[in-house]
Amino acid sequence: MASKARSSVTIDQVQVVLVDIEGTVTPISFVKEKLFPLARTELRSHLVSNWESAECQEDIRALCCQVETDLKNGMDDVPKICDASLSPDKAYPKSLLDAVLKNVLWHMDSDRKTTALKQLQGHVWSKAYADGKIKGEVFGDVVPALKQWTDEGLIVGIYSSGSIHAQKLLFGHSQEGNLLKYISVHFDTTIGNKREKGSYSAIAKALDKSPEFVLFCTDIVQGEFLWSTLRLFFFIASSLVYVRTLKCFSTQAGKWLHNYIDSAAEKIFQLCLVSCQ
């Protein structure tokens, strides 16, 4: 049944390479050990210094909206920020500042991928990148791959949970220099979550490309995700998916990846799959 559903498009016919960030082009350690701790330590000073800016006010409004969504979804433990009598304005009462801090840290402790959190984190990181406190780290094989793809006329795009602003900071201030010249388009959670197959259809539509000509490179290794969402993306949207490092959570998922994606190995970073046991 699988062979009937498989797209006839080959790896050499790919027109767009869509790349994830954390664990795919940049070490997870860079995000977990540098970016996230920086967001924590600089959060309060960022809010105090920028509270009256339109950008910061929008970040707080987004967090308030996320609280409302979470409560509607039954997440009663979410730290509340705003109610009918308290909303962000041009002055910050200490109670509101503390509520925002508590909410954001709760999001981070829960490793949530909400647009509101990612948007704020990107804004917190802006000054650190501008001041040279941090530089985006990428694997050694990334820059040669980006050059090769653009030389071959491929469209290179980014799709990550991190905000588009944060994506541009990382690639624009990388240890290898400004890499934005290789990247034509950026997508984040405003187009949809990476674990929702509708997100990929929306991306293909935004690219104005048939989905089968889009290759998505990611490090997501959850077995259920690979065998359901990405499988549906491949078969329903006829798209190709490649994984940098795979720790197989199910033999079935591993076999599917080996059968349908290993032909991409020479094209994408010279990456390899970890053998399923």
Side-chain angles (χ1 to χ4, degrees):
M1 184 175 76
S3 60
K4 292 181 181 179
R6 188 182 181 187
S7 170
S8 59
V9 173
T10 66
I11 190 66
D12 291 328
Q13 293 173 286
V14 167
Q15 299 173 6
V16 180
V17 179
L18 194 64
V19 184
D20 199 351
I21 293 181
E22 182 182 349
T24 304
V25 297
T26 191
I28 293 176
S29 59
F30 171 67
V31 179
K32 301 292 186 184
E33 298 172 12
K34 294 185 180 180
L35 287 182
F36 286 174
L38 180 67
R40 284 178 178 273
T41 58
E42 297 295 327
L43 179 58
R44 177 181 285 273
S45 62
H46 169 83
L47 290 172
V48 171
S49 299
N50 297 280
W51 190 272
E52 295 185 1
S53 70
E55 178 182 88
C56 190
Q57 290 292 301
E58 177 55 37
D59 288 343
I60 297 169
R61 279 191 289 271
L63 290 168
C64 290
C65 289
Q66 185 62 51
V67 169
E68 293 178 7
T69 299
D70 290 340
L71 290 173
K72 288 178 181 177
N73 291 334
M75 298 178 65
D76 296 332
D77 60 334
V78 57
K80 299 176 181 61
I81 301 175
C82 307
D83 57 30
S85 62
L86 183 63
S87 60
D89 54 28
K90 291 300 180 180
Y92 68 88
K94 185 177 184 300
S95 59
L96 179 54
L97 174 63
D98 289 344
V100 171
L101 289 168
K102 183 177 180 180
N103 177 271
V104 173
L105 294 177
W106 176 83
H107 275 275
M108 294 186 67
D109 290 341
S110 304
D111 195 26
R112 302 193 74 193
K113 309 295 183 183
T114 59
T115 299
L117 173 65
K118 296 304 178 181
Q119 176 177 288
L120 175 58
Q121 285 178 326
H123 294 151
V124 173
W125 293 326
S126 291
K127 189 174 186 301
Y129 275 111
D131 292 345
K133 285 185 178 180
I134 53 172
K135 288 186 178 295
E137 296 179 12
V138 296
F139 291 115
D141 50 11
V142 172
V143 176
L146 293 175
K147 290 179 178 178
Q148 179 181 340
W149 292 337
T150 52
D151 287 346
E152 292 176 356
L154 294 172
I155 296 172
V156 178
I158 302 297
Y159 179 35
S160 171
S161 299
S163 68
I164 290 175
H165 178 67
Q167 295 173 21
K168 291 182 176 180
L169 288 172
L170 191 155
F171 287 99
H173 299 82
S174 86
Q175 292 177 330
E176 302 296 328
N178 189 343
L179 304 179
L180 290 175
K181 60 185 176 183
Y182 299 114
I183 302 168
S184 300
V185 63
H186 296 259
F187 298 100
D188 59 15
T189 54
T190 58
I191 204 162
N193 190 286
K194 283 189 293 186
R195 287 166 173 75
E196 298 172 357
K197 61 180 181 293
S199 305
Y200 301 94
S201 297
I203 288 174
K205 183 177 181 180
L207 291 168
D208 194 24
K209 297 288 183 182
S210 296
E212 66 265 26
F213 296 111
V214 181
L215 175 65
F216 180 43
C217 310
T218 183
D219 76 318
I220 298 174
V221 298
Q222 287 88 340
E224 286 301 314
F225 175 64
L226 289 174
W227 188 239
S228 58
T229 306
L230 289 189
R231 178 175 181 274
L232 288 170
F233 178 43
F234 183 84
F235 288 112
I236 294 176
S238 301
S239 293
L240 298 170
V241 182
Y242 192 77
V243 179
R244 173 181 268 279
T245 303
L246 173 67
K247 294 180 180 177
C248 295
F249 282 71
S250 75
T251 303
Q252 189 180 35
K255 286 183 177 178
W256 174 77
L257 283 165
H258 279 289
N259 290 340
Y260 291 94
I261 311 173
D262 59 2
S263 62
E266 292 183 2
K267 188 76 173 182
I268 306 301
F269 300 149
Q270 298 180 344
L271 310 181
C272 63
L273 296 172
V274 176
S275 298
C276 292
Q277 301 299 326

